[in-house]
Amino acid sequence: MAERDHTRLWTMRALYAAIVMAIVFFQLLPVNTVPRIWAGPDLILALTLAWVLRRPDFVPLSLVALLFLLADLLLHRPPGLWAALVLITAEFLRARYVGLRDMTFAAEWVAVGGALVVLTLTYRLILSLLVVDQAPLGLALIQLIMTLAAYPFVVVISQTVFGVRKLAPGNLDALGGRT
């Protein structure tokens, strides 16, 4: 029984990494070379926050840091800044996991929305202070809204397709500890 749980834990971690790398791969494809006037959702961020709030043991901080640093390098963002801010946000939400586990999805969505707003504004503020070129504010706000709108769909897909559900208060996590 314990071996099966341990295998599932590592399988889900590998699945998370594979999904993130697939999303990065599709973002790198040169589908359209003309600059767009809108920005799509940050699916990697939505997936990470959804899995952190449902099963934090599937998404260890070291894996999040590694994958977001790799995404920063591949997507030509300032290396480490977005990764560090996402890591702080994920840890902030992970610390509130027990409280958010018992709340409704609407409360979870509001918590994620607040975290996304703070994350986006902090990122833009740091880039402004360091005088780094950045996308227009309108595009950042569109991406924020699109990510927040995509979050429920990411949660539904995570639950139905990948089986990432919140644990009940009496259940044991994959490492055998009480949640």
Side-chain angles (χ1 to χ4, degrees):
M1 178 82 171
E3 274 185 34
R4 191 177 71 201
D5 289 341
H6 195 68
T7 303
R8 175 162 164 73
L9 173 71
W10 284 101
T11 302
M12 295 307 286
R13 287 178 178 178
L15 177 64
Y16 169 74
I19 293 169
V20 168
M21 293 312 299
I23 293 170
V24 169
F25 173 75
F26 284 112
Q27 287 179 344
L28 289 173
L29 287 178
V31 176
N32 192 0
T33 58
V34 178
R36 296 183 294 182
I37 59 171
W38 63 278
D42 189 346
L43 294 176
I44 300 171
L45 179 61
L47 179 77
T48 301
L49 297 181
W51 283 37
V52 162
L53 287 174
R54 273 158 180 56
R55 290 298 300 266
D57 53 332
F58 288 169
V59 190
L61 292 179
S62 57
L63 183 61
V64 172
L66 178 70
L67 291 173
F68 272 91
L69 181 61
L70 184 61
D72 282 350
L73 295 172
L74 290 174
L75 299 175
H76 299 288
R77 295 188 293 227
L81 177 60
W82 186 248
L85 292 175
V86 168
L87 199 62
I88 292 168
T89 303
E91 184 57 30
F92 173 79
L93 290 174
R94 184 186 310 262
R96 278 132 190 88
Y97 165 71
V98 175
L100 288 173
R101 179 185 61 202
D102 300 331
M103 296 190 145
T104 63
F105 177 73
E108 175 188 334
W109 200 11
V110 167
V112 168
L116 286 175
V117 167
V118 170
L119 177 66
T120 302
L121 292 178
T122 304
Y123 183 69
R124 291 194 58 86
L125 177 68
I126 292 172
L127 288 180
S128 296
L129 290 174
L130 297 175
V131 193
V132 175
D133 287 335
Q134 51 187 320
L137 179 62
L139 279 178
L141 293 177
I142 290 171
Q143 185 175 31
L144 171 68
I145 292 168
M146 294 287 281
T147 303
L148 193 55
Y151 183 77
F153 298 107
V154 170
V155 168
V156 167
I157 290 171
S158 293
Q159 284 185 355
T160 57
V161 176
F162 303 119
V164 180
R165 290 176 175 59
K166 289 183 181 180
L167 289 175
N171 288 354
L172 300 177
D173 64 5
L175 298 177
R178 292 244 175 239
T179 57

